[in-house]
Amino acid sequence: MHIVVVGGGVVGVTTARELVRRGHQVTVLERHSLAGNETSKGNAAQRSYGVVYPWADPSMVFKALPWLLKTDGPLKMRMPPSLAATRFLLATLRYAWSPGLFGLNKRAMLKLGAYSRERFLALEQEHDLAFDGAHDGLMHLASTPEALDELRKTHELLNEVGVPSHLLSPQEVREVEPGMTGNGPLYGAIRYDTDGTGDCHLFSRALAQVCEELGVNFRYEVEVEALLADHQRVNAVQLRTASGKPERLEADAVVVSAGCWSPELVKPLGLTLPIYPIKGYSITVPLSDPAKAPTATVHDDNFKVVSTRLGNRLRATGFVELADFNRDIPEARIATIRKSVESRYPGCADLDAAETWTGFRPMTPDGPAIIGKGPRDNLYLNTGHGTFGWTLSAGSAAVIAQVIDGEEPAVSLDAFRPGRFAGGL
Ligand SMILES: Cc1cc2nc3c(=O)[nH]c(=O)nc-3n(C[C@H](O)[C@H](O)[C@H](O)COP(=O)(O)OP(=O)(O)OC[C@H]3O[C@@H](n4cnc5c(N)ncnc54)[C@H](O)[C@@H]3O)c2cc1C
């Protein structure tokens, strides 16, 4: 079967690998000249299988407002908000206040997270990929006593679902992360023992190379303009090459993994996907003193900034911003990220020399990704992964390949079904 995957981000590339290994002929269509060059490029680099949670979190609704008003607060919104942002927030509130939904979705995401970890370990055993990858644990700091109480509750839930974690005292935190010599407030932490890290951009590029060796045809610098379908099937993809030439590419099946740009491709086929681009920022900098840096990945709840060790580099990431597709990088955002790093890891790097980046999380208003069959017999979706697309990529790629081949998916896809937004919000 010839399967066309639209999108060469980490989700499209991992999907292509699963499909080619199952004997399909695979073509990946990507508008950039490289794989993993959009949202998969400068993310926080966490493979946070034990942390995954839905965006529509009822406990966040009242916390979020003060964050909006704080200069260094992690939540930002362009004022006045656009119609798209307003609709997305209203839909988020509706999901957050749907009784029991958060818990169900969180459990479903944790199960997919655990499966994704399994698939990553197998993948890394099969292919020798250079992406500064590790599974050395992940830590969430508590900078207030209330934050520590929240972490205790998280620890109980993780015990219940079998995800290994430990609560740490401030002294134990510093034993695990000796580079954390700064004076940022610290009451303790939770450590997700089996979580990991890795540069998603390097991984996507290295895996794309492996896929090409396995026979996948990557076509870069092509824009997919439309899925050409009748009432039952998608027959072909309408694309435009870099030279502006239109082309029709026949397909036996199509997987849409186009991140934030997925909705426009499936809307003409009658499927509305309420994916909204939630903006974030990162800095990446070579370490000048590696001993003063984190050894793995640490979430500083004081600024809601994540600092991750990637080989000899530090990546620090923050902010959840609703500003539609605006790619500006205001200095104030970068200054907050720097402030967080300096408060924990003083002297680890010359932060003024850091490379800056912004990207858009392809967020659904409830939170789970969109994985499964679309509105035509041979149309599939693996998209809308929001905050956790890197973490869940290996697992979601495996389950969508199982669905395409008519097998029972290894993880229940109820929470992820594409049709759950039907009826509008
Ligand atoms: C600040 C920030 C921090 C994050 N931190 C983490 C983290 O620590 N851990 C984690 O798990 N996740 C994290 N994420 C989320 C993660 O980066 C995303 O969920 C993931 O990269 C999504 O991958 P994707 O392949 O679906 O989308 P993308 O990487 O955006 O790939 C989609 C691709 O489709 C292509 N495309 C779209 N439309 C077309 C078209 N019409 N024709 C041709 N090509 C097209 C695009 O060019 C793009 O390359 C973070 C995100 C941000 C913004």
Side-chain angles (χ1 to χ4, degrees), residues 232-252:
Q232 229 179 345
R233 298 177 62 78
V234 178
N235 301 306
V237 166
Q238 174 72 46
L239 56 91
R240 194 166 291 274
T241 65
S243 62
K245 206 171 123 216
E247 190 182 315
R248 178 187 163 105
L249 179 67
E250 304 297 320
D252 299 312

Side-chain angles (χ1 to χ4, degrees), residues 123-130 206 210:
L123 184 154
E124 286 175 63
Q125 205 146 44
E126 189 170 324
H127 312 297
D128 187 16
L129 305 175
V210 165

Side-chain angles (χ1 to χ4, degrees), residues 350-368:
D350 175 7
L351 300 180
D352 292 329
E355 185 187 329
T356 59
W357 175 83
T358 186
F360 306 110
R361 303 169 183 91
M363 196 70 80
T364 60
D366 52 353

Side-chain angles (χ1 to χ4, degrees), residues 254-304:
V254 173
V255 184
V256 174
S257 291
C260 289
W261 298 269
S262 304
E264 61 214 47
L265 291 171
V266 297
K267 194 162 186 208
L269 307 186
L271 181 65
T272 300
L273 298 180
I275 294 174
Y276 183 83
I278 297 285
K279 191 177 182 188
Y281 304 86
S282 71
I283 61 171
T284 307
V285 61
L287 291 169
S288 44
D289 190 343
K292 293 183 176 166
T295 61
T297 179
V298 180
H299 179 268
D300 175 5
D301 77 314
N302 197 23
F303 291 97
K304 308 275 181 273

Side-chain angles (χ1 to χ4, degrees), residues 393-408:
S393 58
S396 69
V399 291
I400 198 66
Q402 291 153 7
V403 171
I404 291 170
D405 280 346
E407 297 165 16
E408 188 62 30

Side-chain angles (χ1 to χ4, degrees), residues 56-132:
D57 178 348
S59 76
M60 281 297 154
V61 173
F62 294 109
K63 284 186 197 161
L65 203 59
W67 285 350
L68 261 182
L69 306 174
K70 246 177 94 182
T71 316
D72 280 334
L75 178 63
K76 299 284 172 206
M77 184 153 63
R78 191 178 60 193
M79 291 296 177
S82 67
L83 184 60
T86 308
R87 288 181 65 169
F88 181 78
L89 281 178
L90 289 175
T92 298
L93 287 177
R94 196 180 127 173
Y95 285 114
W97 286 330
S98 297
L101 187 67
F102 177 81
L104 283 176
N105 283 344
K106 173 143 183 156
R107 280 176 174 75
M109 290 173 74
L110 282 170
K111 282 187 185 149
L112 184 57
Y115 183 59
S116 199
R117 183 173 190 279
E118 250 176 59
R119 301 301 296 208
F120 263 119
L121 294 181
L123 184 154
E124 286 175 63
Q125 205 146 44
E126 189 170 324
H127 312 297
D128 187 16
L129 305 175
F131 66 105
D132 290 326

